[in-house]
Amino acid sequence: QPQPQPQPQPQPQQQPQPQPQPQPQLQPPLPTRQLLPRGEHAVHLPRDMTLYVGNLPHIVSKRNLMDIFAGLHVKDAHVVQSMSGSSLGYGFVEFDTKQARDEVLQTVHLEVEGRTLDIRPAYR
């Protein structure tokens, strides 16, 4: 009787090592395009020296807003924009001192492009 031939042992197959996945490169978010939680503002200016300016014509830029308040001790200005970059019709103006802000609040009444500006204390 013939003896059975030993079966050759199959060689264990080597599993290919998984290649490390390249890390996606994160781009820094664009500040004007960031969605912020409700109640948050893109610009945090000191409230005691800042005024809210509403009813702005949509063509008003930061530079225009600073020019509107020129000579009144303006330190900075910000026009709030939509995600597409168009003005939302309001902004904030920061003054050098609280006294300058209070003086503007009490005495200045401005009209731009036929619109009376709504000037109030800024709240956060």
Side-chain angles (χ1 to χ4, degrees):
Q1 222 180 15
Q3 286 192 350
Q5 292 277 347
Q7 292 286 340
Q9 293 289 342
Q11 293 291 332
Q13 291 184 351
Q14 289 184 341
Q15 295 290 333
Q17 294 293 329
Q19 295 295 325
Q21 295 293 326
Q23 294 293 326
Q25 294 210 350
L26 301 176
Q27 298 292 327
L30 298 173
T32 57
R33 305 224 183 239
Q34 241 177 341
L35 292 178
L36 299 172
R38 186 174 214 169
E40 292 292 320
H41 300 285
V43 174
H44 299 287
L45 301 174
R47 288 175 286 171
D48 60 342
M49 294 188 292
T50 305
L51 292 177
Y52 162 88
V53 182
N55 201 29
L56 289 171
H58 291 281
I59 60 169
V60 172
S61 67
K62 174 182 177 166
R63 171 61 30 212
N64 298 140
L65 189 55
M66 290 187 75
D67 289 345
I68 290 168
F69 289 89
L72 299 173
H73 306 284
V74 174
K75 184 175 181 181
D76 196 13
H78 175 73
V79 175
V80 179
Q81 298 177 334
S82 69
M83 289 183 62
S84 65
S86 61
S87 168
L88 291 178
Y90 70 96
F92 299 92
V93 178
E94 180 185 6
F95 294 87
D96 290 330
T97 65
K98 185 177 183 316
Q99 292 78 14
R101 182 207 78 147
D102 291 343
E103 184 178 325
V104 169
L105 188 61
Q106 293 171 8
T107 61
V108 175
H109 301 283
L110 296 170
E111 192 172 295
V112 176
E113 298 279 323
R115 294 174 165 217
T116 301
L117 299 185
D118 178 16
I119 302 172
R120 306 184 244 168
Y123 296 104
R124 180 173 181 318

